[in-house]
């Protein structure tokens, strides 16, 4: 049976279908629980949450489901890849026309970015004790990995290259999520700059599957049963899907974001940009991504670029202006449509079974 993989056996869920963690509030407890209740595996992106909020979110998920789920954090990076770094004055000047349009006063200097207290967040994860702790942007320090293991928490690390998958396996993770170039959201690259870590899902998955022994989750551009079936045929033990779940009614995406993703013609055009946060991310192309791609490219590294674009994004959302918003989404968006998350899991499972039946009998 296609549903019986090393992933479903280890996790104890019905389908090898993972709802990818989506930080910043996009993966809500309702979304995570709906996916896990439907037989998939839900994940909550928690990097933006305070430790107490992580505990509250985990309790809320448990109120809504007794099925396993994952909590996910971003590993803090000591040295941020600067991309095309310039001084703050020039980066602020580059953004001023957008601030003028939105009626925002000039900024004299970048606002202080919020500080992520990873250690306390991780303590909260240990306390919440999810079935899985998944992470992105690096390796989990060995003492933390040991502490998670002691609690019986499985570890999933995210790779964008074969080398990253090998490094994750050597660090002792239980599973590797291999994320192809098509994926929505940030590139989680940590060994090389993200621009040099852009292998597509189709060639990445079989290479990672051959390079590591641990089960592999395939992510990037998968949005229907044909994609899930392809991931399994390539040797993955599960498919991880973000964008298609972002379109579900339980997600935290705002109205403008949902409308853009559901507009098939619009969703056909995505862009990789550092302009919103300073880290490379795949979003739907819009005026901001197009104009910021034109020289001069004056961006600050994460988290400063995130801090200097924040007011613009918030004001644009208030004004109903999606031309200046970061509309995170992957290349598979036109394959999906808005629906309840449980229905999406059921449809993915039915389609995957039908496709595999047709080809494999
Ligand atoms: C809005 C958004 C936020 C995301 N946030 C995270 C995150 O916080 N942590 C993480 O490991 N992956 C994150 N991802 C990646 C997803 O978990 C998933 O791997 C990816 O979306 C799969 O590609 P797809 O969008 O083509 O389905 C995010 C993706 C999106 C679209």
């Amino acid at each position: 049976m296609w549903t019986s993989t090393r992933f479903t056996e280890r996790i104890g869920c019905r389908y090898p279908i993972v709802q990818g963690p989506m930080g910043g509030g996009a993966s809500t407890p309702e979304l995570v629980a709906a996916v896990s209740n439907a037989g998939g595996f839900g994940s909550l992106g928690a990097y933006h949450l305070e430790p107490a909020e992580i505990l509250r979110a985990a309790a809320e998920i448990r109120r809504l489901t007794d099925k396993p789920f994952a909590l996910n954090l971003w590993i803090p990076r000591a040295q941020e890849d600067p991309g095309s770094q310039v001084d703050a004055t020039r980066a602020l000047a580059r953004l001023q026309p957008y601030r003028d349009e939105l009626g925002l006063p000039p900024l004299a200097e970048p606002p202080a970015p919020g500080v992520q207290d990873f250690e306390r967040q991780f303590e909260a994860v240990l306390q919440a004790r999810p079935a899985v702790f998944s992470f992105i942007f690096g390796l989990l320090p060995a003492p933390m990995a040991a502490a998670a293991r002691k609690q019986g928490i499985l570890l999933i690390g995210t790779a964008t290259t074969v080398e990253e998958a090998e490094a994750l396996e050597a660090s002792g993770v239980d599973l590797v999520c291999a994320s192809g170039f098509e994926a929505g959201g940030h590139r989680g690259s940590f060994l090389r700059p993200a621009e040099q870590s852009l292998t597509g899902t189709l060639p990445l998955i079989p290479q990672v599957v051959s390079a590591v022994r641990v089960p592999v989750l395939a992510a990037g551009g998968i949005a229907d049963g044909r994609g899930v079936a392809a991931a399994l045929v390539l040797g993955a033990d599960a498919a991880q899907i973000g964008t298609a779940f972002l379109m579900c009614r339980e997600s935290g995406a705002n109205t403008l974001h949902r409308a853009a993703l559901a507009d098939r013609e619009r969703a056909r055009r995505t862009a990789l940009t550092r302009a919103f946060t300073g880290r490379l991310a795949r979003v739907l192309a819009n005026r901001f991504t197009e104009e910021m791609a034109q020289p001069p490219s004056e961006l600050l590294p994460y988290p400063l670029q995130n801090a200097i674009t924040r007011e613009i994004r918030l004001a644009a959302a208030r004004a109903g202006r999606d031309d200046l918003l970061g509309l995170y989404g992957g290349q598979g968006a036109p394959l999906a449509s808005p629906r309840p998350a449980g229905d999406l899991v059921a449809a993915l499972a039915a389609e995957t079974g039908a496709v595999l039946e047709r080809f494999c009998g």
Side-chain angles (χ1 to χ4, degrees), residues 20-23 47 72 74 136 182-185 219-222 240-243 246 328:
M22 294 182 280
Y47 83 89
N72 172 278
W74 291 14
I136 189 164
E182 301 89 334
I222 302 170
Q240 175 163 306
I241 298 173
T243 301
L246 191 57
Y328 294 96

Side-chain angles (χ1 to χ4, degrees), residues 20 47 71 88 102 190 209 212 228 267 326:
Y47 83 89
L71 294 177
L102 294 162
F190 59 94
V209 165
V212 300
V228 177

Side-chain angles (χ1 to χ4, degrees), residues 10-11 69 125-126 129-133 144-155 174:
R10 289 205 75 173
I11 301 289
F69 63 91
V125 169
L126 286 182
R129 217 168 164 180
V132 170
F133 171 59
M144 291 179 159
R149 225 167 278 122
K150 211 166 141 198
Q151 298 270 53
I153 300 171
L154 294 174
L155 297 175
D174 300 286

Side-chain angles (χ1 to χ4, degrees), residues 52-104:
E53 294 172 325
I54 293 176
L55 288 172
R56 273 201 294 279
E60 179 62 5
I61 297 170
R62 286 209 167 92
R63 196 180 65 76
L64 299 169
T65 184
D66 58 358
K67 300 283 189 299
F69 63 91
L71 294 177
N72 172 278
L73 292 176
W74 291 14
I75 303 284
R77 299 178 60 186
Q79 174 115 45
E80 196 63 40
D81 166 31
S84 55
Q85 192 178 346
V86 295
D87 66 60
T89 317
R90 283 166 51 194
L92 287 171
R94 182 79 166 83
L95 294 176
Q96 192 51 45
Y98 303 113
R99 296 182 67 87
D100 291 342
E101 262 183 49
L102 294 162
L104 296 168

